[in-house]
Amino acid sequence: MLIGLGEYLSGHNGTFTYASGSVYPDYVNYVFQRSFVAVIGALIVPFAYRTCRFLGFGRPAATMAAAFVLFDNALCVMSRFILLDPILFCFTAMSLLGYSGFAGHQHQPFSAA
């Protein structure tokens, strides 16, 4: 659905089928669509940093872990194309972030602090 949202926001009219090896027509704004997926893929880096901080890592270790995610070659390549993988990784990173945030408060349930 997020790929569809990116296509809708770029003004895609739904007539191009993205067949393998075909040339993009002028009315397909593939630059916006690729940028949309790349931004979602870039969100994984701060999620990785916050997850490490929630798990009790120090700032240098969390920064190093986020740098590992940032410079991961496979993630950089997949985020360049209109694929579902960066979106899947982003939601996986968000779920790990949420779990680590809740796990940090397991000794103080139902408290405001």
Side-chain angles (χ1 to χ4, degrees):
M1 295 303 289
L2 287 176
I3 296 289
L5 175 67
E7 290 178 354
Y8 175 76
L9 292 175
S10 69
H12 182 61
N13 60 8
T15 58
F16 185 65
T17 60
Y18 295 97
S20 179
S22 61
V23 178
Y24 291 117
D26 292 335
Y27 62 87
V28 175
N29 188 359
Y30 67 92
V31 174
F32 179 82
Q33 294 174 7
R34 289 174 75 172
S35 300
F36 184 77
V37 175
V39 167
I40 292 174
L43 289 174
I44 299 171
V45 177
F47 292 155
Y49 177 82
R50 287 304 306 161
T51 300
C52 290
R53 293 294 290 161
F54 280 148
L55 291 175
F57 292 9
R59 283 189 181 149
T63 303
M64 187 172 70
F68 286 158
V69 173
L70 177 65
F71 296 116
D72 179 28
N73 195 28
L75 186 61
C76 291
V77 169
M78 281 190 288
S79 293
R80 290 181 52 211
F81 301 112
I82 307 171
L83 299 173
L84 295 175
D85 295 345
I87 298 170
L88 174 70
F89 293 152
C90 184
F91 280 105
T92 302
M94 284 193 309
S95 65
L96 288 173
L97 175 65
Y99 177 75
S100 63
F102 281 116
H105 296 298
Q106 66 184 352
H107 298 296
Q108 35 184 314
F110 305 110
S111 66

